[in-house]
Amino acid sequence: METYDAVIIGAGNAGLTAGAALAQGGAKVVVLERHTIPGGCATSFCRGRFEFEVALHQLSGIGTPEKPGPLRMVLDQLGVMEHLTFMPMSDLYHVMIPGKLDILLEPDRARTTATLKHHFPDEAEGIDAFFDLVYRVFGEVIGAFYFKDPDVHRDKYPLYFQYGLKPLQAVLDDHFRDPLLKTALTPYWTYMGLPPSQLSFIDMAAMLFAYIEFLPFHLQGGSQALSTALADRIVQCGGRIRYNCPVARILVENGRVTGVATAEGETIRARQVVSNASKIATYVDMLAPDQVPAAVWGELKRTSISPSAFTLYLGLDQPPEALGISSSTNFILGHTDADMAYARMKDRDIDHRDGMMMTCYTLIDPTFSPPGTSQVALITLKFGDAWLQVPPAQYAAEKYRVADAMLQQAEQVFPGLRTHIEEMEIATPITHMRYLGTPRGAIYGFEKHIKDSPVFLPNQMHIEGLFLAGGWVGGNGFQPTLESGFKTGQAVLRRLEMHQ
Amino acid sequence: MKRDIAQQLEGYQDVLQLVQAAETLGEDFSSERGAVAAYLNRLHPARLSLRVSHIQMETPSTKTFRMVPVDGVLPPFQAGQYVALQVEVNGIRTNRPLSIASSPSQTGYYDLTVKRVPGGLVSNYLLDTIQVGDHLASSAPDGSFVYNPLLHGRRLVFIAGGSGITPFMSMIREVSDRGLDRHITLVYGNRSEDDIIYHDELTVMAARLANLTYVPVVEQPGPAYTGEKGFMTGALIEKAAGNLNGAMVYLCGPSGMYDFCLAELQARGVTARRIRREMFGPPVNVSRSPGWPAGIEEDDHFTVSIVDGPTISARAGTPLLNTFEEAGLAPPSQCRSGECSMCRVRVMKGRVFQPAGVPLRQSDHRLGYVHGCVSYPVEDLEILMEARR
Ligand SMILES: Cc1cc2nc3c(=O)[nH]c(=O)nc-3n(C[C@H](O)[C@H](O)[C@H](O)COP(=O)(O)OP(=O)(O)OC[C@H]3O[C@@H](n4cnc5c(N)ncnc54)[C@H](O)[C@@H]3O)c2cc1C
Ligand SMILES: Cc1cc2nc3c(=O)[nH]c(=O)nc-3n(C[C@H](O)[C@H](O)[C@H](O)COP(=O)(O)OP(=O)(O)OC[C@H]3O[C@@H](n4cnc5c(N)ncnc54)[C@H](O)[C@@H]3O)c2cc1C
Ligand code: FES
């Protein structure tokens, strides 16, 4: 039987940074991953002459060497920065409602506000006030929490206490009149999965601040390059990764973790286990009901599962210019009603009421596709529930039907797109369920309602020795999950030292 | 965060009420136990248990094995997909991808048609040993050599060689069963008349269906043969299918056929977008592939040391995956063509030969990860195998 200091379940972003932090800290660690490649969401696949990026559209938190973002510092400490080539993206985003709205924003505060004022001259004052608020609120958040002020109180951080629990919509309504302007400022709500009426203002402020100040980035080789580099770091530091090795059960004796059992029936001993699998899989599938403390059931019950996504990965036989694609990140929307778009996420179908994002990777870096071609992804959020109702025998036909509907929407903006498709892969919520193992194919963990922010739902240890890391126990997206694993790895290291 | 800080946030009490309501009214996720696995098992089971219900002799070198589920139902598939059939031959645990030849509308069985490869390990075993009633395991259907209704249009040209007919047979049978509006020209090459699989069924179907044209091509026919002879040239394909402009051309067969036919098609202006090819296994004589290092014979042997494992001897002309299997340390595998990534291993030291066109991720390339099923040792190697079956 093998014995380790720590076992990590899953080689997603958080599992990999936790593993790298532990291996580098001298712990004897093994990462067990169901698939044959590291990354979870952060991966790629090949079709024909294309390598498709699965999940990463815009990486936050990198910043420049002169002004490093928090993620750059984590990756630096993990020793992978020097093996990767990060590229800043020149666009914040291009947001469109055909015939009504067409604005390209840059990751620069002055230029972004100027562009918005140019399009909405009557709202100039509100625009300045809104960005001022975003920056000041977020400045307070950084002071209070990132720098861990021991003495956080209302007088020192008035805006945080005022806005900490406010929905984004209320703040938008305070500042703006034109619904088009509100829409132009907030397409990033889809990065969190909740419309402005339900999303916390602080979460949007954090995204705008992070992407404008530290710029959106991508990297050569896509997110798979990052995953592979982290996995390599684990191995170089003496850790192990085992692929094709699903964990079936977490072993608990006398209320504390003692190891895991793989699906093949092998027992691996460790007194610290980090689960990068979903919180539901961890507590509901890998543990027996009587091993799970009542508090966990309470936590689970109060939350709801986030949407999954419907994605078309396209390899096109023309360069972006020839197809009329000029920006890397495009939000193609049908209207200004985000609540309707959110409601539509429960429906399998795609029509003019659904918004979508189109990323053209080749514009970020030409090595994303062979010379003379482009790699493009079209993505829209969809809950998994409606897809679970499709009978298996109809699944393939349904995939094509919805893909067709999505292409029709995209062709409103990029006519003739479909006549240039050389390779196409369709990912539905079922695809995400298959590759991530998440309930209903969720890609953002639990929904991040204000009531589920860390203020009300901290990531607590419920079983001695069992840590959870990743998108189900904190912020979602690349930066938060990579940081979550790193912090968890450090916490495990501290415990290991304590035990010695 | 400290509770007293939270309580001072504006709106705290209102949100707290939402929390309490959700704790009472929220969803009970304990019912999710096993739900993901149960759903996926209907669509993509990890393993299928199959029983041979019938064996049909197709040609002197080919048989069709009709496979029925031992229990439960077979998962659906798209015409053109394959299963990896698992076998143990001479103590070697291995598998081979086999395209499903029956129609997807036939939900009761999968037909697997196997052609003998002289000296081949598995084809000979299947043809010579497997009997009706035998049990075999396989993967679930997989693969992307399928018809895409959004892109491929109505005019399809199928170019098949030898056992490469099998995925097309499934597609043609589906078009026939379901009365689909697709116009198919099948150009099917074989060494001799005796090698043509499904000749009678194809002849009958082509006579019955206005939208199917069937053109067998025989390389070395006997004196009585009257059909098309020689290679499947571009001129011959055009003669059979008409103008290739606007048609979708699918290829499936041995590697030599690809090299020849792709050049013929390109010369006629058929673009990459209009060509689909199935990866039909490793090249037959790898040392004849472009880029094979001079001075190395297929029968040369190199030493392969596996990190935390044994050191074995590996033949240059044999894919590493096969060598691993012979040594009893197989990584997982499925497509055996470099596509599915299941057999990914890392070359820590030494060099392997990989035929051109084998897909590999940029980052894998940088760190020395390769697909063992299409990698050949051309130096002594050190291999890190991070996945075991
Ligand atoms: C289509 C798509 C687009 C996205 N776009 C963006 C974007 O542009 N920007 C952004 O920041 N974020 C984006 N995200 C979100 C981001 O990718 C995720 O939040 C993040 O990658 C999640 O990381 P994680 O570590 O929580 O878990 P995951 O990536 O889910 O990894 C979990 C790992 O655990 C493994 N595992 C699960 N169960 C077991 C088990 N029982 N045994 C062994 N292994 C197991 C899984 O196989 C997987 O490898 C996107 C996600 C998707 C799917
Ligand atoms: C996606 C896919 C679908 C397939 N579908 C079918 C099918 O429906 N019916 C079928 O009969 N085969 C099919 N094959 C080929 C099959 O998987 C095996 O490669 C074939 O049966 C030979 O296996 P073997 O164990 O007998 O030979 P091996 O022991 O693997 O090979 C021995 C020698 O034969 C060469 N060789 C391997 N395959 C072939 C081949 N096809 N033709 C000529 N020489 C070869 C090898 O390079 C080697 O030199 C398919 C392959 C793929 C990748
Ligand atoms: S078995 Fe699929 S890549 Fe090797």
Side-chain angles (χ1 to χ4, degrees):
Chain A
M1 191 183 326
E2 295 183 60
T3 304
Y4 289 90
D5 292 333
V7 168
I8 294 169
I9 307 169
N13 280 338
L16 288 167
T17 48
L22 278 159
Q24 169 172 298
K28 191 179 174 206
V29 62
V30 64
V31 181
L32 308 175
E33 167 57 47
R34 294 186 321 151
H35 287 292
T36 49
I37 183 135
C41 299
T43 193
S44 68
F45 61 90
C46 296
R47 289 285 181 276
R49 49 182 177 149
F50 293 86
E51 176 179 351
F52 289 105
E53 164 68 50
V54 166
L56 183 58
H57 297 267
Q58 296 189 297
L59 185 60
S60 60
I62 292 291
T64 55
E66 301 74 42
K67 186 179 161 195
L71 182 57
R72 179 184 289 267
M73 294 193 260
V74 167
L75 299 178
D76 249 337
Q77 285 187 59
L78 290 176
V80 294
M81 215 48 213
E82 67 208 67
H83 301 298
L84 299 168
T85 309
F86 284 91
M87 294 133 344
M89 296 168 67
S90 54
D91 306 337
L92 196 59
Y93 54 75
H94 185 182
V95 55
M96 291 161 264
I97 300 178
K100 294 204 178 105
L101 179 73
D102 190 333
I103 296 185
L104 174 67
L105 296 182
E106 292 159 89
D108 176 280
R109 182 175 171 183
R111 281 209 284 271
T112 282
T113 46
T115 305
L116 289 167
K117 284 188 229 169
H118 169 77
H119 282 88
F120 302 96
D122 296 349
E123 310 234 25
E125 235 169 90
I127 291 166
D128 281 331
F130 180 80
F131 276 91
D132 190 50
L133 182 62
V134 163
Y135 270 67
R136 286 200 295 141
V137 164
F138 205 68
E140 290 190 7
V141 170
I142 293 174
F145 303 111
Y146 191 74
F147 290 111
K148 301 203 177 80
D149 187 340
D151 181 30
V152 175
H153 58 80
R154 239 198 130 109
D155 301 337
K156 227 164 155 183
Y157 302 106
L159 291 173
Y160 173 70
F161 280 86
Q162 188 185 348
Y163 286 97
L165 300 179
K166 272 235 164 59
L168 170 61
Q169 191 67 48
V171 180
L172 292 174
D173 293 344
D174 282 350
H175 288 82
F176 310 117
R177 291 176 302 274
D178 192 334
L180 286 172
L181 172 55
K182 297 179 195 177
T183 299
L185 263 170
T186 55
Y188 278 159
W189 73 260
T190 51
Y191 284 12
M192 298 287 291
L194 284 173
S197 61
Q198 300 183 56
L199 185 67
S200 144
F201 167 63
I202 291 279
D203 283 342
M204 179 57 85
M207 276 191 288
L208 286 173
F209 180 86
Y211 281 123
I212 293 177
E213 284 309 300
F214 297 123
L215 315 177
F217 273 82
H218 220 292
L219 69 159
Q220 241 168 47
S223 62
Q224 184 69 68
L226 176 56
S227 309
T228 307
L230 287 165
D232 181 44
R233 180 69 183 162
I234 295 173
V235 175
Q236 299 299 341
C237 293
R240 265 192 88 186
I241 304 192
R242 288 177 59 185
Y243 296 108
N244 201 41
C245 187
V247 170
R249 275 180 311 122
I250 296 169
L251 306 175
V252 178
E253 281 164 38
N254 303 323
R256 95 166 316 293
V257 164
T258 58
V260 300
T262 68
E264 300 278 296
E266 189 184 342
T267 299
I268 299 171
R269 293 282 174 201
R271 288 169 68 82
Q272 318 295 335
V273 170
V274 178
S275 177
N276 183 209
S278 78
K279 189 167 174 179
I280 292 181
T282 305
Y283 286 117
V284 181
D285 288 310
M286 294 189 226
L287 289 159
D290 61 355
Q291 291 173 322
V292 179
V296 173
W297 298 114
E299 280 185 8
L300 290 178
K301 190 154 186 190
R302 55 181 277 189
T303 45
S304 45
I305 295 182
S306 73
S308 183
F310 185 89
T311 311
L312 289 188
Y313 301 100
L314 304 177
L316 303 160
D317 72 353
Q318 294 281 312
E321 313 81 76
L323 299 160
I325 306 173
S326 56
S327 12
S328 55
T329 303
N330 307 273
F331 290 95
I332 305 171
L333 311 177
H335 52 79
T336 57
D337 187 347
D339 287 326
M340 193 217 305
Y342 177 74
R344 290 282 311 153
M345 283 156 48
K346 302 204 161 79
D347 197 311
R348 266 200 317 275
D349 236 320
I350 293 175
D351 63 25
H352 64 281
R353 294 167 294 177
D354 297 86
M356 68 172 85
M357 176 163 68
M358 181 174 119
T359 297
C360 178
Y361 292 97
T362 310
L363 283 175
I364 307 171
D365 187 72
T367 65
F368 269 111
S369 65
T373 67
S374 352
Q375 179 187 161
V376 161
L378 292 169
I379 175 167
T380 189
L381 298 177
K382 288 286 175 186
F383 284 97
D385 308 59
W387 278 92
L388 288 168
Q389 290 159 12
V390 179
Q394 257 110 67
Y395 175 65
E398 185 64 5
K399 259 171 101 157
Y400 290 122
R401 190 185 69 78
V402 177
D404 188 28
M406 183 178 230
L407 276 177
Q408 278 178 36
Q409 293 307 307
E411 288 195 305
Q412 309 255 313
V413 181
F414 300 102
L417 193 65
R418 107 171 50 203
T419 57
H420 292 290
I421 302 175
E422 180 175 317
E423 296 291 340
M424 163 193 239
E425 194 57 65
I426 309 169
T428 72
I430 304 297
T431 316
H432 292 101
M433 186 162 139
R434 178 178 177 197
Y435 287 103
L436 304 175
T438 55
R440 298 166 211 178
I443 63 167
Y444 291 160
F446 290 114
E447 288 195 296
K448 301 296 181 292
H449 288 286
I450 293 170
K451 74 170 174 41
D452 304 315
S453 64
V455 175
F456 295 94
L457 189 61
N459 179 12
Q460 277 169 340
M461 176 176 289
H462 290 292
I463 299 177
E464 187 54 29
L466 177 59
F467 296 79
L468 271 69
W472 290 81
V473 287
N476 242 286
F478 275 72
Q479 181 190 349
T481 52
L482 289 161
E483 290 179 12
S484 150
F486 180 66
K487 281 188 206 124
T488 308
Q490 288 179 319
V492 176
L493 274 178
R494 282 195 295 274
R495 279 183 150 240
L496 289 170
E497 276 159 25
M498 234 161 56
H499 286 298
Q500 267 164 13
Chain B
M1 185 186 315
K2 293 197 210 85
R3 187 151 286 270
D4 56 316
I5 300 179
Q7 281 170 0
Q8 290 173 43
L9 288 166
E10 232 168 73
Y12 175 80
Q13 289 304 329
D14 298 339
V15 180
L16 196 62
Q17 278 179 12
L18 292 176
V19 171
Q20 284 155 357
E23 274 171 351
T24 337
L25 302 172
E27 192 175 345
D28 178 1
F29 290 114
S30 64
S31 63
E32 287 286 316
R33 193 176 171 91
V36 169
Y39 184 86
L40 291 178
N41 204 40
R42 295 200 296 162
L43 207 56
H44 296 290
R47 187 172 177 277
L48 299 180
S49 279
L50 304 170
R51 182 169 52 81
V52 180
S53 74
H54 180 78
I55 298 177
Q56 166 85 34
M57 192 83 186
E58 302 282 0
T59 72
S61 61
T62 308
K63 285 179 183 174
T64 293
F65 299 90
R66 180 154 294 176
M67 313 300 288
V68 296
V70 170
D71 44 37
V73 294
L74 294 172
F77 69 97
Q78 296 180 62
Q81 290 189 310
Y82 67 88
V83 293
L85 199 65
Q86 294 159 14
V87 290
E88 185 169 331
V89 190
N90 308 334
I92 300 168
R93 277 174 66 194
T94 183
N95 60 9
R96 290 293 180 274
L98 295 167
S99 304
I100 304 172
S102 44
S103 164
S105 60
Q106 176 50 260
T107 55
Y109 57 79
Y110 297 155
D111 274 346
L112 303 179
T113 298
V114 182
K115 180 174 164 122
R116 191 180 300 277
V117 170
L121 185 69
V122 176
S123 56
N124 291 287
Y125 166 79
L126 293 172
L127 290 166
D128 298 338
T129 359
I130 293 298
Q131 304 291 325
V132 169
D134 285 353
H135 284 212
L136 286 161
S138 80
S139 71
D142 209 343
S144 37
F145 189 65
V146 297
Y147 177 76
N148 182 325
L150 274 55
L151 308 177
H152 292 187
R154 290 168 53 208
R155 221 153 62 75
L156 312 177
V157 178
F158 294 168
I159 301 174
S163 63
I165 186 68
T166 49
F168 295 130
M169 207 54 200
S170 181
M171 296 182 197
I172 291 168
R173 284 167 165 162
E174 183 186 28
V175 166
S176 163
D177 288 359
R178 294 190 161 142
L180 301 175
D181 183 19
R182 293 176 206 159
H183 290 253
I184 296 173
T185 304
L186 168 68
V187 183
Y188 180 22
N190 275 288
R191 185 69 43 87
S192 76
E193 300 96 302
D194 282 352
D195 291 326
I196 308 178
I197 312 172
Y198 312 121
H199 181 65
D200 294 343
E201 183 177 346
L202 285 167
T203 307
V204 169
M205 268 201 285
R208 183 167 56 81
L209 299 172
N211 55 346
L212 174 66
T213 307
Y214 167 48
V215 182
V217 184
V218 175
E219 210 182 308
Q220 296 159 356
Y225 181 80
T226 53
E228 295 291 349
K229 298 182 193 120
F231 288 124
M232 292 185 284
T233 59
L236 195 157
I237 295 165
E238 255 178 356
K239 184 174 149 203
N243 188 348
L244 296 178
N245 205 339
M248 196 73 200
V249 185
Y250 294 56
L251 297 154
C252 183
S255 46
M257 179 191 108
Y258 290 144
D259 298 341
F260 181 78
C261 291
L262 283 174
E264 292 282 301
L265 291 169
Q266 272 148 16
R268 276 167 178 74
V270 185
T271 58
R273 188 163 56 79
R274 307 304 298 175
I275 299 175
R276 301 279 89 190
R277 61 184 276 200
E278 177 63 312
M279 295 295 180
F280 216 59
V284 176
N285 289 108
V286 67
S287 62
R288 284 189 220 147
S289 308
W292 179 266
I296 292 180
E297 305 292 327
E298 287 188 22
D299 277 331
D300 288 352
H301 280 70
F302 295 97
T303 301
V304 178
S305 59
I306 315 280
V307 178
D308 292 330
T311 296
I312 54 183
S313 166
R315 184 177 168 270
T318 301
L320 275 176
L321 175 63
N322 299 43
T323 302
F324 296 148
E325 288 173 337
E326 283 160 26
L329 12 101
S333 61
Q334 186 181 293
C335 72
R336 302 185 86 93
S337 305
E339 283 206 316
C340 74
S341 235
M342 296 269 282
C343 67
R344 182 175 174 267
V345 295
R346 183 166 176 186
V347 181
M348 307 295 283
K349 283 193 198 122
R351 209 159 45 93
V352 297
F353 174 77
Q354 304 174 72
V358 168
L360 199 61
R361 296 170 172 94
Q362 262 191 62
S363 51
D364 278 351
H365 184 67
R366 189 176 77 77
L367 284 175
Y369 280 96
V370 300
H371 297 143
C373 60
V374 284
S375 298
Y376 300 80
V378 293
E379 279 176 12
D380 289 345
L381 302 174
E382 183 181 304
I383 296 282
L384 180 65
M385 202 181 273
E386 295 168 303
R388 304 264 169 101
R389 214 163 28 203

